[in-house]
Every structure is written in structure tokens, then in C-alpha cells.
Amino acid sequence: MGKPLQITLKVVAALALLVIVLVLAMVFMVDPNRYKPAIQNAVLESTGLELNIAGDLSLYFRPYVGVSLNDVRLRNASKPQELASSNLISLRVDPWMLLRGQLLVQELSADDFHINWFTDANGVNLWTTDPEATDNTTDTLESTPGLSTNIKLISIANASIDIQNLQHSYQYTIRHLDLRSQNGNVENRPFTVEARFELVNPSAPRPMPFTFSSNNFIDLETGDINIDNIQLTLSPLQLRGSIEVRDINGEMTWNGELSSNTFALNDLLDNLAEVDPTANTLALPGISEQQPQQVSLHTSFNGDRSQTQIPSLEINLGETLIKAKANIRFASELSPTNISYEIESNSLDLNLFSNSGEDDTTIDDNNDPLANKLLPQSAKPQSTTDIEIPRSLLSGINVRGTISVESLTWGSLTFDGLNIFTNLENSVLDIETQPTGVLGGSVQGNIQVSSLPEQSELTVHLSASDINMVDLTLPLFELEAVTGKLNVEADFTSSGNTVNQWRDNVSGSTSFSVADNLVDIGVIKQVFTAIAALSPSGEAIQQWPDAIQFTNFGGYALFENGIQENQQINVRLDNFNISGTGGINLIEESFDYSFLFAVLGEPILQTIPISERYHNVSWPVQCGAAFDDAVSQFCRPDFPQVRELFIQLGQNQVQRRLDDVLTDQVPEQLQDSARGLLRNLFQN
């Protein structure tokens, strides 16, 4: 914080010395340009920075006494880029004070002033100089006889600042900066600052116009700075507050507080980030325009050279109150940056952060069995855009914190008593949720992301118990196709550097069971009705009930190298078994599986009745369709293979009958030979 101020004061002091030299030169009729080397050397000695005056030095006496410097450039001797530059810097002085041997700068103005604020990948700033070269700041000011540090008017027009940090990968530009300061000084006398500028953020749809004003006190001798009556505006947001800094050149401490007006969050987010509904790219969520929200906030903060604390942050979002506090301990030689935080809220409705509600009226629930999804439409996978995993955010920093929300709403889900714990240490991020009430049951889980040099590794564990399926629609079932209490255990691992790589490399397992269930077996009846049509004897499949309560309803899914293929599925409903392989294509919103449907025989409970001759027979079934297809189109028998099965079953039945005849009527010593002849006959 103190570095730019110190350098600015040094440059001003050097320029003040310049005026004294030029006035003396004027008296003796000496060309002022002869003093360029002396001026540049004075700046170098007092700041450690190189001042290059590429244009002319000009003295003028009308309408006031002053000096102008044309084409001025400032650079760090150890860095190739320029620190700052200006087409024209003008200093107006008080001639009567000058005759008394005192220099009073009445006005300092600069046109097209530009500053480069660059930080390299190692965290070294472009303005960093040798400390020994800047130790004589106070000496330079104090040793200048008759020099007043009061400047009645500072005026900067059309300035710009380029801000780039390669270490943390961000870049901003401040442009069209107009600044005016009345009675600027560093002697603890009040002065004002007013500024207007535009902040250009590459991710924002347009430049963000800011206005700023404040009353200020700067005491260079004690190193104290007070900034009161701060007013910062980014329409429609207005911040007011104060900041106090103590002992800026020593054991610096600071504190402050800021409060906002009540503003429309919709309008602010529109200024901060672009939300293009026609683009297949991710963007910051916009607040639902159907539910505009009024927001206000208040925060206090303090810190020193080792840490920053936010003891209080309160955000009012409609009926939602969010409270937070945080502590940031800066990195040292022995430890990285450490951040701790606590966030709590009475209620939070995430549906407010989605524009999907604006499109809900276009959905035809009668034609789309998946229209009543738990998640908003915006949550559906519709984009092929890949997202890089920000591994740099996990390195060189430790984070520990908690998030507690009494009630959180997402889509049609309401989570009660949500508690999330986060811990980031040694490039390993752990996110854990304690048991949270939802849909009459509870869910809990853990997510771990390990940032390795080559790629990031993901581990997920999810557990759910007693989830009421009446309000839950699964991706491959119609609404209310299955009811009961759902229990789930899921474990997954993956690796990669992008979200798509995580998706394509996921491996793991999911097991589930449904208690107190009632299952609509319409798809099963449809498949077996088609199979029975090929049976020589037929089966009364249509007599099966439409819905059955099973004593044992459960299953599992195994994943290896993605979900698009190689999945292994098994589902048991008492004596009915489904097993197979296949996958889900999230981009095309479709699935494709090859299943074997089988009705098992005793001693398993015979909930689904079927002739004994069809017990334990695995019927090949193809299940493939789009997510939004009617359930009646999901599955169909593999008819060529079904016909082969019936032929095989017929041959087996004939063979069994002949075997019974051989056993009863053929002498025992000839039975083996007769069976061999029969086997050869059926094989041919």
C-alpha cells in the first residue's frame, strides 16, 4: 500500500527541486534543458527509478509561473518495461513565495498519464526496487529548504493503468481516469480526492464505470493515513465508509468499514458478467428477472503486514440474511497463505440465481416425461464446452472453513440443516457435508480434489438414506414409476485436467436399495409380452399386475473409464433379475444398454409368476433411447436371439423327454451309447 505513495512523493520532491533549479536558471538566462541530467540523476538517487525526459523543459510566466515537462517516462533500471509515462506534466508555483525562498506548488497537472502495474509469475512487482535506493525518502523531503508539500490542485486527465498478475492469472485495465485533488498534502491537513474511471475486465460484457470521492489526511512523518467519507459507485451499487492506516513505514496496521445502499442485484450482475442465452459457454449466473432481488451489505475489516481479518460481513438478499467472517494470514518463509472462514445463513434459494424459470412456460409436460425434473433446465448438460480444472488455485494456499445454512432450496429440493466443511492443504481440497435432511431422508458426502503436477485427481463418496421417491424423478424413469424409500452408496474416482476428462475417466460403483417400494413394471410387461408372442405355447403376461411391491429391490452399477460405455448394471426385484452393459451419452442425452432379463426359480420368492420351463432363462433385451423419449420406446427384445432361444428351449425339452424314455425303457448298459447318439443327432 505504501510503495506507490512513497514513490509518488519522491518524484514530486524531485520535480519540486527541478522548479527551484529552473527558476535559478531563468534568473541567469540559462537554457533549462541543460539541467535534464541533473534532474534525472536526482530522481534516480531519491527513488531508485530512472526518469527520462524525452521532450523539452519549458518555463512560462503567463498566465502564471510554472514549468512543463514533455514526454516524461519512468522505469525501473532492473526491468525492461516502463513504469509510467505522460505526454505532458505541468507545475504551477507561487512566485511571491518563491521570492521569499520558499517553493509552493499550486497546481500539478498531467495529461495522458499511464501506469503499468505488472507482477510476474514469481510474485515480483515491476515497481520493486532495491530498498537501499529508497531509504532517503524522508531525508530528500526534509533536506529541501523552503519546500512545501501542499499542492492546492492536482489534476490528472485521461490517465490509464494496466494491471496484470501472472502469478494469480488476472488482468484488468483502468482507463479514462480523471482525477482532481484539492489542497493535497502529507502534513495531516485535510484534502479531497475525486475520480472517475472505467474498469475493463476481460470477462465482463462492457467496461464498468466507477466514481470515487473521499476526504483524506496523510501524515508522512508518522506514516498515518485516514480516508473518510468514501463514496464508491458502480451503478446501481454505492459503497460508503472509511479506511484508517497507521505507521505505514513501520509496523503497519489498518482498519475500516464499508456499507452499501439497497440495490438491484440483477442490474449489478448484468454489469459484471455476460450472460448470453444463445452461447454454449459457461458464465456467471444471472439473477432471475422474474424475481428481482434487493441487496444490501455491511462489512468491517482490519489487518497488518501479516494478516487481514474480516470480523463481520452481513449481506441481506430479500428475506435471506448471510453472515460471514474470515481471516487471511499471508505467506511467510515458513508457511503458505492460510485462510479461515465461517458462513451462515437462515435460508438460501438458489433458484433466484437461475434464469431457467423464464423458459418453464414453454415446456409441454404431456409430451415430455422428463419435464418435471428436480434440477432446473439450466442444469441439464447441453454444452460441449470443456472447462480446465484450475489447479493453480489449490497450490500455495491453505483454506479451512464452514458453511451452515438452515434451509437451502435448489429446484424443487429443499435441504434442511446443511453443513459443509472445507479444508485445503498441501494442494488437496476436501469438501464434506454432514447428514442433511432432504425428501424425508438424508444425504451426506465427501469430495476430494488432489492437484498433482500432471493432472488433478477426483474422489467422490455419496450416501443417501430413506429418500422419498414420490418427489424424486430418476433420469430413466417416468414420474412415479418407482415409489419407496431410496438408499444409495456411491464411490467414484477420476483424473484429468478438464471437466470432460474427469467425466471420461470416471470409475467407481453405485449400489442402491428401495424399501417400502411400489414399482410400475410396464416396461417389463411390454418386453415379455413381445417375447411371449414368439413362444409356441404362449404366456399370460398381461395377467401380471401393473405395479408390484417387491420384498427385495436393489442393485448396483460399475463404471470404468467413463459412463459412455463399459458400465455393468445389475438390478434385482425378488425373482426378476436384470444384468447388462452399456452407457450414457450426456451430450446427446441418450443411453444404450444390452441387457439380459431373467425370471429366477425357487427357492427365491416367486413374486413375478412364469412357467417353470422359462425359469433362469436369460432373454436378450436392447434398451436404447433419448432421455425424453416415451418409456414405451426404451426397451425391446432382441428378436433374432429370442427365436434362437426358443429353438434351443424346444430341443432341450425334447432331449429331456427322450432322456426320460431312455432311463425307463433302455437297458442300463446301453443308455450311455443311446444318449451319445441322441446328442449327435441334436447337434447335427
Side-chain angles (χ1 to χ4, degrees), residues 306-433:
S306 64
Q307 66 176 343
T308 295
Q309 296 187 79
I310 304 176
S312 174
L313 170 62
E314 292 189 3
I315 302 175
N316 287 279
L317 175 61
E319 297 181 355
T320 297
L321 173 62
I322 301 174
K323 295 183 177 181
K325 57 183 179 180
N327 176 268
I328 304 172
R329 291 189 173 273
F330 305 130
S332 66
E333 295 181 357
L334 301 178
S335 64
T337 299
N338 283 268
I339 301 175
S340 61
Y341 69 90
E342 294 180 15
I343 301 174
E344 60 181 39
S345 175
N346 58 338
S347 64
L348 186 59
D349 188 353
L350 296 183
N351 294 326
L352 301 177
F353 294 83
S354 171
N355 288 320
S356 62
E358 300 164 14
D359 302 325
D360 289 346
T361 56
T362 64
I363 299 176
D364 187 352
D365 294 348
N366 295 323
N367 296 327
D368 187 357
L370 299 182
N372 296 319
K373 280 288 171 286
L374 284 171
L375 302 183
Q377 290 293 319
S378 60
K380 295 179 64 177
Q382 298 176 347
S383 171
T384 59
T385 302
D386 205 357
I387 304 172
E388 185 175 356
I389 306 301
R391 289 183 294 158
S392 60
L393 297 181
L394 304 182
S395 60
I397 187 172
N398 293 338
V399 180
R400 182 186 298 270
T402 62
I403 302 173
S404 300
V405 183
E406 294 179 10
S407 177
L408 182 143
T409 302
W410 184 26
S412 62
L413 292 176
T414 297
F415 298 88
D416 297 319
L418 176 64
N419 291 283
I420 301 175
F421 300 90
T422 60
N423 184 71
L424 171 60
E425 190 172 1
N426 297 326
S427 300
V428 177
L429 172 63
D430 279 294
I431 303 175
E432 179 183 354
T433 60

Side-chain angles (χ1 to χ4, degrees), residues 86-385:
S86 178
N87 290 338
L88 175 65
I89 296 178
S90 299
L91 296 174
R92 175 185 176 183
V93 300
D94 186 333
W96 304 110
M97 297 294 290
L98 194 61
L99 292 175
R100 298 178 185 177
Q102 296 181 347
L103 175 64
L104 174 61
V105 180
Q106 294 180 318
E107 181 177 341
L108 184 152
S109 63
D111 293 336
D112 297 326
F113 187 58
H114 180 76
I115 295 176
N116 291 318
W117 189 263
F118 292 165
T119 302
D120 64 21
N122 297 320
V124 179
N125 191 274
L126 184 64
W127 289 72
T128 302
T129 58
D130 184 355
E132 295 182 358
T134 60
D135 284 344
N136 58 345
T137 306
T138 305
D139 295 340
T140 302
L141 293 173
E142 294 179 348
S143 61
T144 304
L147 174 62
S148 172
T149 56
N150 181 81
I151 303 177
K152 289 187 176 181
L153 177 63
I154 297 177
S155 177
I156 297 177
N158 197 33
S160 59
I161 305 174
D162 283 336
I163 304 170
Q164 184 175 5
N165 190 311
L166 299 180
Q167 185 181 33
H168 298 295
S169 302
Y170 65 77
Q171 181 175 357
Y172 301 96
T173 298
I174 294 175
R175 68 183 191 185
H176 304 319
L177 170 62
D178 295 330
L179 182 146
R180 289 177 63 86
S181 176
Q182 297 280 353
N183 299 317
N185 70 93
V186 292
E187 298 169 350
N188 204 29
R189 295 193 301 274
F191 65 94
T192 61
V193 172
E194 296 179 352
R196 294 178 180 271
F197 60 91
E198 290 183 348
L199 178 64
V200 179
N201 181 350
S203 64
R206 62 190 68 86
M208 293 175 282
F210 285 86
T211 61
F212 174 84
S213 64
S214 64
N215 296 330
N216 312 278
F217 297 82
I218 298 178
D219 190 334
L220 186 64
E221 183 177 353
T222 61
D224 296 340
I225 301 175
N226 288 343
I227 306 176
D228 297 326
N229 297 324
I230 294 174
Q231 296 187 37
L232 177 66
T233 301
L234 170 61
S235 180
L237 170 65
Q238 295 179 359
L239 287 176
R240 298 175 182 269
S242 62
I243 298 175
E244 181 181 89
V245 183
R246 290 285 178 263
D247 194 13
I248 194 171
N249 296 315
E251 299 295 328
M252 182 181 66
T253 61
W254 52 276
N255 63 81
E257 62 177 348
L258 293 171
S259 297
S260 79
N261 62 328
T262 300
F263 61 94
L265 188 56
N266 314 55
D267 298 336
L268 179 62
L269 288 182
D270 286 343
N271 290 333
L272 292 178
E274 184 170 14
V275 180
D276 185 356
T278 65
N280 288 327
T281 57
L282 292 181
L284 288 176
I287 299 298
S288 172
E289 294 182 1
Q290 292 185 347
Q291 305 178 72
Q293 292 298 307
Q294 298 297 311
V295 181
S296 64
L297 61 89
H298 173 81
T299 184
S300 60
F301 44 87
N302 60 74
D304 53 34
R305 295 190 184 276
S306 64
Q307 66 176 343
T308 295
Q309 296 187 79
I310 304 176
S312 174
L313 170 62
E314 292 189 3
I315 302 175
N316 287 279
L317 175 61
E319 297 181 355
T320 297
L321 173 62
I322 301 174
K323 295 183 177 181
K325 57 183 179 180
N327 176 268
I328 304 172
R329 291 189 173 273
F330 305 130
S332 66
E333 295 181 357
L334 301 178
S335 64
T337 299
N338 283 268
I339 301 175
S340 61
Y341 69 90
E342 294 180 15
I343 301 174
E344 60 181 39
S345 175
N346 58 338
S347 64
L348 186 59
D349 188 353
L350 296 183
N351 294 326
L352 301 177
F353 294 83
S354 171
N355 288 320
S356 62
E358 300 164 14
D359 302 325
D360 289 346
T361 56
T362 64
I363 299 176
D364 187 352
D365 294 348
N366 295 323
N367 296 327
D368 187 357
L370 299 182
N372 296 319
K373 280 288 171 286
L374 284 171
L375 302 183
Q377 290 293 319
S378 60
K380 295 179 64 177
Q382 298 176 347
S383 171
T384 59
T385 302

Side-chain angles (χ1 to χ4, degrees), residues 596 620 622 638-646:
L596 294 176
Q622 294 296 125
D638 186 334
F639 288 109
Q641 293 193 44
V642 169
R643 291 188 181 93
E644 290 294 329
L645 272 176
F646 275 120

